[in-house]
Amino acid sequence: MTETETAAVGIAVDDGIAVITIDNPPVNAISQAVRQGLIDAMAEIATNDAVEAAVIIGAGRMFMAGADVREFGKPPLPPTLPETISAIEASEKPVVVAIHGVALGGGLEIALGCHYRLVAPGAKLGLPEVSLGIIPGAGGTQRLPRLIGFEAALDLITTGRQAGAEEAAQSGLADAIIEGDLKQGALDFAKRRIGEPPRRLSAIEAPKPESPDFFAEAKAAVARRARGQESPVKAVEALEAAILPFAEGVKREREIFVELRGSDQAKALRHAFFAERAVAKVPGLDDAKPRDVAAVGVIGGGTMGAGISVAALRAGYSVTLIEADVGALARGRENISKNLDGYVSRGRMTEDAKADLLGKLAASVDYGALADADLVIEAVFEDMDVKKEVFAKLDAAARPGAVLATNTSYLDINEIAAATKRPSDVLGLHFFAPAHIMRLLEIVRTGTTAPDVIATGFAVGRKLGKVSVLAGVCDGFIGNRILAHFRKQADYMVEDGAMPWDIDAAMEAFGLPMGPFKVMDLSGLDISYAMRRRLAPTRPAEERYVAIADRVCEAGWLGRKTGRGWYVYEDGTATPNPDAEKIVIEESKRKGITRRDFSPEEIQTRILYAMINEGARIVEEGIALRPLDVDMVEIMGYGFPRWRGGPMCAADIIGLERVLADIRAFASEDAYYWEAAPLLERLVAEGKSFSDLNGG
Ligand code: 3H9
């Protein structure tokens, strides 16, 4: 056996088979060292007469996560990935790839350059480049359709989804699934291929599209789904180039890849990728050890409590549900069961698995049932007195050291914590409805929450599959506080001349899945009405107040549940409510406002800037640790388009100087509302951007 090593790629020759091992922890990203190592390995294989075939395999927990995302945005270092893959594919000796864990992006493109692909049973294969604002740039859009046809390739490339081993084997993406020892299986497979001519995907004739209009139709469908994101649409263009001879197709693919790599959208999506991982890294929490959590108590079986219970059950916790009376308890159980039915009907859970989960659910009207809980999450009615009463009872029932959490969306958690004799054990775990589906979790620390309690919040969030973001206490924490400003801006524009459906259309064009007025109709106008009532006593007298929504609500139009709100809902369609329009016009008149037109761009700008300005205040006050935490809350919880990177990243892309100049111009009309956040002023004065505050 001979062995040579580069930093990240090792070769060992064993009985005529070269085993090339990629070893670049933690995810075998294809750094410059990996590319060079592979080229060197292929050169050695070509010249070493003792080698008759090769196996490429990954060390550690996966094959390869793809190109090193950290190298993007920096000058490219040779050799390129396409050159590396060409060197592999050109080998005269058969090259077999053995995939475990994931083969993503450039990792799968390397696999497509090999002559045979073997997968371990749990392997996942995908080309997720579009989610980073780019397309596969190393032949993926050209080799994949040659292997599995255009339709299947289009699905994988434009969605970025991962195919499991079974699917890969069925589609022809993988030649075989290797049960047992992957390396041994690959060695045996390679031995059987010795002497066979190499199977090169680039040499296969271009496939035919499934129908004459295939690409035009695909482009239209993908564009609709992408809501402003360019990369999936460009991916269709690259795929279309696969009908050309291979050399021309890869040239076109590369052009598109290079164009997108430098785009604002790619920058924003890279930011989102790293921010999603950075939110869990809380400075100062390194030494805090999370408390052990196995048993979770949930107080309240309404929409939120039931969603939280399902999330906890699915994550493997046992759950004890507490309700005020037997009837409410039965309804809570029913809500949980219905949520689980949703998974069953979509084929994502078997009836047996559902029954198993329900077996881990206990329910009681007695707080004594919480005596063994390690974590209790309160999800009762949003009222301070009710919550304090619950926490006083919880304080008496829970064991010492249990973590006590409230799912409040707005209330002062310091005050809730003070209702117990153990405020350091209290924190906020703010879930988003539906709690078993939405990925955001705001972890809210009070002035007294112990570090290990915060660390427990993050550990539980991770187990629940959530993206957890730390927030401080204020009205609405990060997300709902920004939402309040978003809505205020929308209301101001409606009173000044726009119609609710204009705002919705403009914000949907901005990339939101649903405009704010449609969202209000969905959640019920009475919800925000109650909130405005609650805030009324503390609202500054000089603050502009728009009463349109109050009047629509007082007319009994509560949205979808009454068939009428901002829109009229009939036969499954929503049309603008003419009576709401009348109220809008009357209210403008009552205030002496001359209504004017708002272009979609102006609507988008005013709403975005209101979010940026408030986001800057939230960072400055320390409610959010960094701008990236604000971005993640908005992307994960409020449908802010990921391809814009979140409001703070969007501000950096626009340029803070311009944002500040525009805000100052708005302030000349409405000084009360549009006062620029001091942090924004300071960053502009120092020539910095929000990203400078994100650290590493
Ligand atoms: C591409 O391939 C382009 C080509 O077509 C063309 C080229 C010409 N690069 O997520 P985790 C880091 S584009 C650099 O916590 P998990 C990550 O930041 C690429 N770093 O682990 C984290 O660092 P830290 C297409 C990467 O087990 C650490 O690794 N590929 C990369 O939950 C652990 O990550 C993708 O889009 C990378 N590519 O999930 C795949 N990937 O510890 C992106 C990860 O400092 N990656 N890191 O925070 C993933 O989907 C997940 O990371 C993966 C592992 C499933 C692999």
Side-chain angles (χ1 to χ4, degrees), residues 25-27 29-30 61-62 64-72 80-82 102 104-107 109 126-129 131-132 134-140 162 254 257 261 273-274 277-278 281:
V27 294
I30 313 163
R61 56 193 180 97
M62 65 189 73
M64 286 185 177
D68 190 334
V69 182
R70 272 176 283 252
E71 283 186 3
F72 293 174
T80 65
L81 188 54
V102 299
L104 298 178
E109 290 177 298
L127 292 169
E129 282 87 344
S131 54
L132 289 168
I134 53 175
I135 61 161
Q162 298 173 6
R254 190 73 185 167
F257 169 79
R261 189 178 53 186
F273 175 82
F274 287 113
R277 287 154 180 84
K281 293 171 190 153

Side-chain angles (χ1 to χ4, degrees), residues 187-385:
L187 283 169
D188 295 344
F189 186 96
K191 270 187 195 144
R192 294 197 295 273
R193 297 295 166 288
I194 290 173
E196 286 184 13
R199 263 188 351 173
R200 299 186 180 112
L201 291 180
S202 65
I204 296 178
E205 201 187 321
K208 297 261 175 299
E210 274 75 352
S211 69
D213 298 328
F214 179 80
F215 291 108
E217 284 170 7
K219 227 175 179 172
V222 169
R224 257 195 317 277
R225 219 176 42 218
R227 270 196 235 113
Q229 187 178 335
E230 291 166 359
S231 51
V233 184
K234 290 283 185 183
V236 182
E237 256 175 54
L239 269 163
E240 191 171 5
I243 57 176
L244 303 171
F246 186 80
E248 282 175 51
V250 282
K251 190 161 163 269
R252 182 71 195 117
E253 177 198 76
R254 190 73 185 167
E255 281 163 8
I256 298 173
F257 169 79
V258 169
E259 175 198 324
L260 289 178
R261 189 178 53 186
S263 69
D264 285 344
Q265 290 199 4
K267 213 165 146 189
L269 285 161
R270 276 201 302 277
H271 164 74
F273 175 82
F274 287 113
E276 193 169 331
R277 287 154 180 84
V279 283
K281 293 171 190 153
V282 176
L285 269 196
D286 301 344
D287 298 334
K289 190 176 166 296
R291 298 182 190 175
D292 291 335
V293 176
V296 173
V298 177
I299 306 178
T303 309
M304 286 314 290
I308 294 167
S309 300
V310 167
L313 286 168
R314 292 194 70 225
Y317 294 112
S318 68
V319 174
T320 301
L321 178 71
I322 300 288
E323 258 296 359
D325 57 61
V326 177
L329 204 56
R331 282 193 298 279
R333 263 186 177 282
E334 190 56 36
N335 289 341
I336 292 170
S337 178
K338 267 196 210 135
N339 283 345
L340 291 174
D341 284 341
Y343 293 100
V344 176
S345 65
R346 286 197 306 278
R348 293 187 50 205
M349 187 183 287
T350 61
E351 282 288 355
D352 285 351
K354 179 189 162 186
D356 271 358
L357 290 188
L358 286 177
K360 292 193 187 119
L361 174 71
S364 177
V365 291
D366 177 6
Y367 276 60
L370 296 175
D372 294 329
D374 306 305
L375 162 71
V376 181
I377 305 169
E378 163 279 311
V380 302
F381 186 62
E382 193 76 342
D383 178 285
M384 182 56 91
D385 292 337

